Amino acid sequence: MAVGRCAAVVLSLGLLIFPAEGGSAQSGGTTQTEGRVSAQQDQALVGTIWSAREGRAVSREELLEGLSSTPLILLGEVHDNPEHHSLRAWIIGELATRRSASGERGPAVVFEHIRADQQSLVDDFLASDERADAGALLQKLDWDRSGWPSAAMFSPLFEQALKFRLPIFAGNTPAEAIRKVAREGLASLLDEERSRLGLDQQLEPHLYAALIKDIEENHCGLVPESAFPPMALAQQYRDAHLAERMISAMAANGAAVLLAGNGHVRSDRGVPWHLRRRAPGSNIGVVTFVEADPGITEAAPYVPLDPDGQPATDYVWITSRAERPDPCEEMRQRISRP
């Protein structure tokens, strides 16, 4: 896998080794060059929206038509690509406008980037006189210490949510809870939480094997094999929690949009796997945002596939690549730090 493609996978999965609070497991790795988009690339496919189910390119209007009647929408990302955030902000604004015109509420927005223990802070902010100020909310969330890429990069998403007065749901579990599950397994959870999240049922063997393979391939040979199962378990724990928040947001507002890394939104083994079990029969729509690769000249190969070769998304939106250092070298430096 080329470095650019590897970087996109690592950053979108958010699967790096469990660090101290505020470290890179939540960010998927930030860089000193974050926010810049590379001009040294083949631009032919940039801007293409590919319908994985129909096998053809679609317009923005067709994408919106496909999502407008969908109550559970998942929008992926490579965390440090600003284009992904601005495009998703546009989608949120368009969906909110359409739902408002038809007399519907929402959609609520579920952020992977906000911890569950920050929900009361968000609720208090939305009830305050500051509720129109995205910068103030990001400051209250202590964004600069969160481990995510810069607040400026994520501002468009918060600005749209506040502009349309959309409910904001904290989607992520606290880092310490994730680390505890990774260290001690599901036995570390109370029976009530394990049952509520549906974690008594685990991924099917072929899906679990595919997740382990992704973890192995995208950690540059720097992570011991013994770390793969704990990392996979932590991923499933986070996905289950994100699914629960989406279901709560949909129940309260009619529709919910999840903003999360591409690894979380995969329809085969990510959050949708849990949604199908927790909210059977619900219509789910997934948009994966990927970065253009000069070595790939057709849109179809960008579609993530499940182990059976079927699309693991509904749409793929191809964008420019963000500049970043070699992710493997960055990981080596991070791991070597005392």
Side-chain angles (χ1 to χ4, degrees), residues 7-24:
V9 175
V10 170
L11 289 165
S12 64
L13 280 173
L15 285 176
L16 296 177
I17 293 175
F18 317 105
E21 189 77 40
S24 59

Side-chain angles (χ1 to χ4, degrees), residues 1 6 9-18 182 203 207-239 263-264 266 269 328 331 335:
M1 180 178 288
C6 179
V9 175
V10 170
L11 289 165
S12 64
L13 280 173
L15 285 176
L16 296 177
I17 293 175
F18 317 105
L203 289 175
L207 295 177
Y208 180 79
L211 174 57
I212 291 291
K213 183 179 179 181
D214 269 1
I215 294 172
E216 179 179 8
E217 290 181 349
N218 295 297
H219 283 80
C220 309
L222 299 173
V223 178
E225 186 175 348
S226 60
F228 299 156
M231 295 171 78
L233 184 59
Q235 181 83 354
Q236 293 173 75
Y237 176 50
R238 294 182 67 198
D239 287 345
H264 289 296
R266 288 185 62 105
R269 63 174 186 259
C328 292
M331 198 182 303
I335 291 174

Side-chain angles (χ1 to χ4, degrees), residues 319-338:
T319 74
S320 300
R321 285 181 291 122
E323 288 186 346
R324 61 179 66 88
D326 180 340
C328 292
E329 180 57 34
E330 189 177 19
M331 198 182 303
R332 288 188 192 95
Q333 294 178 8
R334 184 177 298 117
I335 291 174
S336 66
R337 291 171 191 160

Side-chain angles (χ1 to χ4, degrees), residues 265-336:
V265 306
R266 288 185 62 105
S267 59
D268 56 344
R269 63 174 186 259
V271 174
W273 186 91
H274 297 271
L275 290 174
R276 290 193 296 269
R277 283 151 183 79
R278 299 284 304 279
S282 295
N283 193 8
I284 301 170
V286 179
V287 184
T288 303
F289 286 79
V290 301
E291 299 183 324
D293 187 321
I296 302 178
T297 58
E298 297 181 357
Y302 284 93
V303 176
L305 302 177
D306 69 16
D308 297 323
Q310 298 303 307
T313 188
D314 296 301
Y315 301 94
V316 169
W317 194 322
I318 303 171
T319 74
S320 300
R321 285 181 291 122
E323 288 186 346
R324 61 179 66 88
D326 180 340
C328 292
E329 180 57 34
E330 189 177 19
M331 198 182 303
R332 288 188 192 95
Q333 294 178 8
R334 184 177 298 117
I335 291 174
S336 66

Side-chain angles (χ1 to χ4, degrees), residues 120-143:
S120 61
L121 184 156
V122 172
D123 293 342
D124 290 345
F125 178 86
L126 294 179
S128 74
D129 294 336
E130 293 182 284
R131 65 159 295 125
D133 188 345
L137 176 55
L138 286 160
Q139 187 172 15
K140 289 182 183 297
L141 291 171
D142 202 13
W143 195 272

